[in-house]
Every structure is written in C-alpha cells, then in structure tokens.
Amino acid sequence: MTEAVIFDLDGVTVDSRGAWTESFKQAAQKFGFEYSEELDHLTRGVGVIKSAENLTAHYKIPEKETQFLNATKTAFNNLFAQKVTLMPGLLELLGRLDKKYNLALASSSPRFVLSENFTKFPQLTAYFEVSIAGDEVERTKPSPDIFLLAARRLEVDPEKCLVIEDSPTGVVAAKAAGMKCIGLLDAGPKKQDISKADKQVERLDEIDAEMISNL
C-alpha cells in the first residue's frame, strides 16, 4: 500500500525544460559549440552538475567543466524568473494527494535550484514535507540514492513509495529504489522512453489516489 508520493522537479513540478535548454545553448556558444535536442540524453534528468560533466566530455573540453557549469548557472538564473512556471494541474494534484499521502520533492538539481523554486512558488512548501537535492547524495539519477534518501526522511519504506517522473533516468532510479513509478510523457513531439514506468500519463490531471492505489 502506497504511503508516500515523491515528485521530480524539472518537468513534473515545474516546467523548466525550455529554460535549461536555452541555458545549455548559451553556455555551449561561449565555448564555440552548439547544443541541440540530439544531446538531450546527456542532460535530461541528471541535474546541471552532471549535465555540465557530460557535455564537456562530449565537446572534448573536460578541463573546462567548472567554467561551463558556471556559464550554465548564470544563463539559467537570468532565464528563471521569466521562463519557469508550475506544471499545469500540479497544485490541483497536490491538493488531491495531500491528505492521503506523505509528499516529497526529489531532484537531481542542486539545492540552489530547489531554493529558487521554493522562493518563486512558496505555495509548494505547504505540500512537500521534505526535499532532496542532487548535491546532497553521492550519486544522482539513474542511481536510486535521491529517492532512497527521500524515503528515509519521510520515514516510509521504499516499497511503499511512488515516484512521478518524466525522464528515463528518473524512472530507472525510481525502479532501482524498489518504488512504483508513474511516468509523465513529454508534451512535445519528441517523446522520452519512459516505458519502464508502471504507468504512463500525458497530464498530471490524470493522476489520482485511485490510480496510485491500483499500481
């Protein structure tokens, strides 16, 4: 029986993909490279720190990882206020689940990103009992560490947790943690492979307690 629901941040709680894509593009341009959707697999669901590591390895400039990371952070900070919004149906879903489950936020993004989101969207603090950032664990997704830490802080057994994720790495991490997983499909034409999720939905408003209890 599910006792806790754990939400991913980017692409599930907030619509931030456009801001991150533009940030990676701007950072890549500073170093004379191009970032395109074909490189999404290097950045999707792994957090900005791992993304910088992956991209600088791809561009064969690993010695400039720190500078690339800082350029990405700067670009994202400039775009955050204007481009990042709450996902459609999020607050309604949180309201439906709040009285029935313990709720947590678990993201591969570093703590500063979570803090910025809680500042911009203070209503989120009323729902999430705990939040876990990618720089608070040794290994980020697709390793299960983030979700296992969320379960420990919620004091709920992993097998009684359900994760809502939108990325392949997040789904793999949830299943590796021994948790059930609902995969949220991309709204755009280029779908991520989240077939390992126990259930796939196209919108958050499809999710309710009955769906969760039936998994």
Side-chain angles (χ1 to χ4, degrees):
M1 181 178 179
T2 300
E3 295 181 4
V5 179
I6 303 173
F7 285 69
D8 177 40
L9 176 65
D10 298 300
V12 173
T13 301
V14 296
D15 186 356
S16 57
R17 191 61 198 167
W20 280 118
T21 297
E22 181 60 30
S23 299
F24 293 133
K25 282 182 179 178
Q26 291 184 19
Q29 288 171 358
K30 283 183 178 292
F31 293 89
F33 299 100
E34 188 174 326
Y35 178 86
S36 65
E37 283 190 359
E38 282 66 38
L39 300 180
D40 272 359
H41 65 285
L42 298 176
T43 62
R44 191 67 178 265
V46 298
V48 64
I49 295 173
K50 183 65 175 177
S51 295
E53 178 185 336
N54 290 344
L55 288 174
T56 51
H58 172 79
Y59 296 135
K60 296 181 172 55
I61 52 168
E63 72 282 358
K64 296 184 178 179
E65 179 185 329
T66 299
Q67 297 98 305
F68 192 97
L69 174 62
N70 289 337
T72 305
K73 286 181 177 180
T74 298
F76 184 76
N77 285 338
N78 292 336
L79 294 165
F80 178 77
Q82 183 179 15
K83 284 189 172 269
V84 178
T85 61
L86 291 176
M87 287 291 289
L90 173 77
L91 294 180
E92 292 81 1
L93 174 58
L94 291 172
R96 290 196 298 274
L97 302 183
D98 184 42
K99 303 302 181 185
K100 297 180 177 67
Y101 304 101
N102 299 302
L103 302 180
L105 183 70
S107 172
S108 292
S109 294
R111 175 55 63 179
F112 85 89
V113 174
L114 273 68
S115 297
E116 285 185 350
N117 279 280
F118 281 127
T119 298
K120 182 174 183 178
F121 308 111
Q123 59 269 54
L124 296 179
T125 60
Y127 295 106
F128 294 121
E129 298 177 40
V130 302
S131 63
I132 310 296
D135 51 0
E136 295 168 352
V137 294
E138 184 176 348
R139 301 173 301 170
T140 58
K141 305 169 190 176
S143 296
D145 301 31
I146 289 173
F147 295 134
L148 291 173
L149 180 55
R152 285 199 298 273
R153 290 190 181 172
L154 288 171
E155 298 183 347
V156 175
D157 292 336
E159 61 268 23
K160 295 181 179 179
C161 295
L162 178 139
V163 175
I164 303 177
E165 264 286 355
D166 73 310
S167 72
T169 54
V171 172
V172 169
K175 299 309 295 178
M179 301 178 180
K180 294 183 177 66
C181 182
I182 294 177
L184 179 64
L185 290 163
D186 287 326
K190 188 175 181 181
K191 306 294 185 186
Q192 296 285 313
D193 181 9
I194 55 172
S195 58
K196 293 183 179 179
D198 299 283
K199 177 80 174 179
Q200 296 181 45
V201 298
E202 295 185 351
R203 305 180 313 277
L204 290 178
D205 62 16
E206 297 177 48
I207 303 172
D208 56 22
E210 182 179 0
M211 176 185 289
I212 292 171
S213 66
N214 288 333
L215 292 178

